[in-house]
Amino acid sequence: GITDPQKMVPVLLAFACSKTASFFGFGGVAAAMIFANIGAAYGTAKSGVGIASLGTLKPELVMKNIIPVVMAGVLGIYGLIVAVIITQSGNSLITY
């Protein structure tokens, strides 16, 4: 029946060795990097415009409002970390 381990081995090997698995896996890694860095760039641009506008009106508050720029940079670094973690978890399945 279905519970027989000898009959399950070909099914499990066919699933683990799918040619599209690595394509979609690394596509997810690329998406993590791309969207995180697009978001970081957008956040940096929007907060930079706000800080430049604030600098003309109240220059003493510019250093207090630098936090959104730092947070946008952290978002880009987070995307890089997620991409590395996903890539390393995929390498554990590869056997030679």
Side-chain angles (χ1 to χ4, degrees), residues 44-66:
T44 301
K46 293 297 269 187
S47 60
V49 168
I51 290 172
S53 171
L54 180 73
T56 59
L57 300 174
K58 295 183 180 180
E60 66 273 4
L61 295 178
V62 169
M63 290 310 289
K64 283 186 179 179
N65 293 320
I66 208 79

Side-chain angles (χ1 to χ4, degrees), residues 4-88:
D4 186 18
Q6 293 295 338
K7 292 183 180 178
M8 291 293 291
V9 169
V11 173
L12 292 174
L13 286 176
F15 179 72
C17 299
S18 173
K19 291 187 181 353
T20 60
S22 62
F23 174 77
F24 287 114
F26 288 112
V29 171
M33 290 273 301
I34 290 168
F35 290 127
N37 288 313
I38 287 174
Y42 183 75
T44 301
K46 293 297 269 187
S47 60
V49 168
I51 290 172
S53 171
L54 180 73
T56 59
L57 300 174
K58 295 183 180 180
E60 66 273 4
L61 295 178
V62 169
M63 290 310 289
K64 283 186 179 179
N65 293 320
I66 208 79
I67 294 172
V69 176
V70 173
M71 288 298 153
V74 168
L75 175 67
I77 294 169
Y78 177 72
L80 176 67
I81 291 170
V82 168
V84 168
I85 289 172
I86 294 172
T87 303
Q88 291 303 317

